[in-house]
Amino acid sequence: MNIILIGPPGAGKGTQAKRLVTERGMVQLSTGDMLRAARTSGTEMGLRVAEVMERGELVTDEIVIGLIEEKLRELDAPGVIFDGFPRTLAQAEALGTLLSGMGQDVDAVIELRVDDEALVDRITGRFTCGDCGEVYHDRTRPTAKPGVCDACGSSNLQRRADDTEDALRRRLMEYYKQTSPLLGYYFAHGKLSGVDAMAAMGAVAAEIAARMDAA
Ligand code: AMP
């Protein structure tokens, strides 16, 4: 089963995708994570995308479609969760073509609905463990011991360079200009459903599971 989680930055796509990986053995394909890995590896492409990402703008369709294509070809999993992809209509069409070439389809598109006002707080308080990927928040989910990851004990806690208020405004603008038209696109394809992503993490996960089981 292939599902797409769609929503503005800070809606909880990554957190919910990680849950589905643990609970259902699915594979999370996050273009944001792939681009951050490319940036860290210092490849030419990584250097090219670093500035764009830091500003909160979108990387070109060509680059992200290439990354997804490469990953999809090497995958052997019972299902894929697309997290942060597609973000433009061109990406959505390319994904449809790639999947149909593999005899597959997008089975469900789940929109995580949030209040925009809540996003600034969610994003600017966010930090993650650079070693195991666990996600924390200064106010709502601090680590038990300051500076140490609860999950793996690492002290490699990091904040994303684009998790600032300025970059978030630009990321939101990109979301409404380029990504939100996908809601209409997938609705017209009969794939879209929405969940209240302002609810507690467990309740959101239960809603997503219900939507997936109904798809
Ligand atoms: P994310 O981790 O999904 O919030 O993505 C972080 C940043 O990576 C975005 O603000 C974009 O600069 C870039 N990015 C991630 N996914 C895509 C995509 N599908 N298309 C274009 N840019 C992307």
Side-chain angles (χ1 to χ4, degrees):
M1 162 170 250
N2 297 309
I3 71 157
I4 295 172
L5 295 182
I6 193 165
K13 300 183 294 292
T15 303
Q16 293 298 336
K18 284 189 179 63
R19 264 186 105 113
L20 290 168
V21 170
T22 314
E23 288 168 12
R24 299 199 178 207
M26 295 173 80
V27 167
Q28 173 190 12
L29 288 190
S30 155
T31 38
D33 286 349
M34 292 176 207
L35 290 165
R36 277 184 287 279
R39 198 178 52 183
T40 317
S41 71
T43 58
E44 197 205 314
M45 186 267 274
L47 296 174
R48 255 193 297 149
V49 299
E51 265 184 51
V52 177
M53 291 175 74
E54 204 149 317
R55 282 200 300 272
E57 291 166 9
L58 291 190
V59 169
T60 64
D61 288 334
E62 194 195 345
I63 290 180
V64 286
I65 291 167
L67 286 172
I68 285 285
E69 183 169 8
E70 199 182 311
K71 285 279 175 200
L72 275 181
R73 296 209 185 284
E74 67 195 26
L75 267 187
D76 179 24
V80 174
I81 314 141
F82 293 94
D83 157 16
F85 180 91
R87 263 174 156 103
T88 65
L89 283 169
Q91 292 177 21
E93 303 232 295
L95 178 62
T97 307
L98 275 173
L99 288 175
S100 79
M102 299 164 73
Q104 297 182 38
D105 202 353
V106 170
D107 298 292
V109 179
I110 301 170
E111 179 194 3
L112 303 190
R113 296 189 181 136
V114 282
D115 297 338
D116 289 341
E117 293 80 35
L119 296 176
V120 176
D121 176 61
R122 279 196 185 190
I123 287 279
T124 54
R126 176 164 81 170
F127 59 101
T128 55
C129 174
D131 289 348
C132 74
E134 195 70 14
V135 183
Y136 297 96
H137 187 279
D138 291 324
R139 197 174 44 75
T140 56
R141 193 171 182 251
T143 52
K145 207 165 141 202
V148 179
C149 175
D150 296 350
C152 75
S154 162
S155 52
N156 182 20
L157 300 175
Q158 305 175 344
R159 281 175 204 270
R160 280 172 46 170
D162 60 347
D163 273 354
T164 61
E165 201 166 332
D166 261 9
L168 171 64
R169 303 254 171 236
R170 245 163 322 205
R171 287 158 71 196
L172 261 184
M173 196 66 84
E174 295 284 36
Y175 178 76
Y176 285 111
K177 276 201 323 214
Q178 310 221 51
T179 309
S180 65
L182 297 186
L183 299 173
Y185 175 89
Y186 284 119
F187 176 78
H189 280 81
K191 311 270 188 199
L192 185 74
S193 59
V195 302
D196 171 16
M198 294 303 290
M201 206 192 289
V204 179
E207 283 285 313
I208 291 175
R211 299 295 190 282
M212 286 172 65
D213 294 338

